[in-house]
Amino acid sequence: MDHRQSLFVTILIVLLTLMVSNSSMAVGDSALTGGWEPITNVTDPTVLDIGKFAVDEHNKQHKESLKFTKVVSGKSQVVAGRNYNLTITATDGGVENNYVAIVWDKPWENFRQLLSFKGPI
Ligand SMILES: *[C@@H]1O[C@H](CO)[C@@H](O)[C@H](O)[C@H]1NC(C)=O
Ligand SMILES: *[C@@H]1O[C@H](CO)[C@@H](O)[C@H](O)[C@H]1NC(C)=O
């Protein structure tokens, strides 16, 4: 390689490196996505809040009147914010059932969305 060729190769490598690091910044959200971690304390105020939110939101969307009882178990995942996958006990006309709710929470934006509510399971 002569001098110009090696300069060209160097510039190419620098550009490629920049492109790679830029694209990983562009998908920063998914790069920050973690695995599902078990929720160890189901009476944690935030976890309870998410559970109640899921039941309230489900009631609003489906004109039902489930009553939140407790969070049975759950796991959460870091996304842009945090996803919660909670197994929730709620009563439906006095009958206790379990439901699985997925809630997306971005506390600093005051944003919370029920992504899925399934049950009774
Ligand atoms: C779970 O969280 C609640 C509320 O913050 C607290 O009172 C309780 O001691 C915690 N339990 C454990 C096992 O950490
Ligand atoms: C949520 O957790 C339940 C129970 O562990 C599991 O069956 C379900 O597949 C999970 N859902 C998602 C979207 O991870």
Side-chain angles (χ1 to χ4, degrees):
M1 262 193 267
D2 68 24
H3 180 67
R4 274 170 55 187
Q5 271 178 324
S6 71
L7 185 66
F8 177 74
V9 167
T10 306
I11 289 171
L12 202 63
I13 288 170
V14 168
L15 284 177
L16 283 174
T17 309
L18 284 175
M19 277 165 67
V20 168
S21 54
N22 267 339
S23 62
S24 67
M25 275 159 79
V27 293
D29 285 356
S30 64
L32 285 172
T33 300
W36 288 98
E37 304 154 23
I39 288 167
T40 50
N41 190 348
V42 292
T43 60
D44 179 276
T46 305
V47 173
L48 286 182
D49 224 40
I50 301 271
K52 285 177 194 151
F53 169 83
V55 173
D56 285 351
E57 201 60 22
H58 171 78
N59 284 340
K60 267 188 227 160
Q61 289 174 10
H62 296 271
K63 310 230 179 311
E64 290 186 27
S65 47
L66 303 183
K67 287 192 175 58
F68 174 84
T69 307
K70 63 177 176 179
V71 174
V72 178
S73 63
K75 47 197 166 186
S76 72
Q77 174 192 40
V78 172
V79 284
R82 193 171 274 274
N83 279 337
Y84 290 84
N85 175 343
L86 302 182
T87 302
I88 291 167
T89 304
T91 55
D92 186 6
V95 183
E96 267 201 348
N97 288 307
N98 281 355
Y99 302 85
V100 176
I102 314 287
V103 174
W104 181 23
D105 189 37
K106 287 195 283 182
W108 68 95
E109 283 181 15
N110 247 333
F111 171 92
R112 199 172 268 183
Q113 190 180 350
L114 182 63
L115 299 179
S116 149
F117 193 95
K118 291 193 178 137
I121 55 164

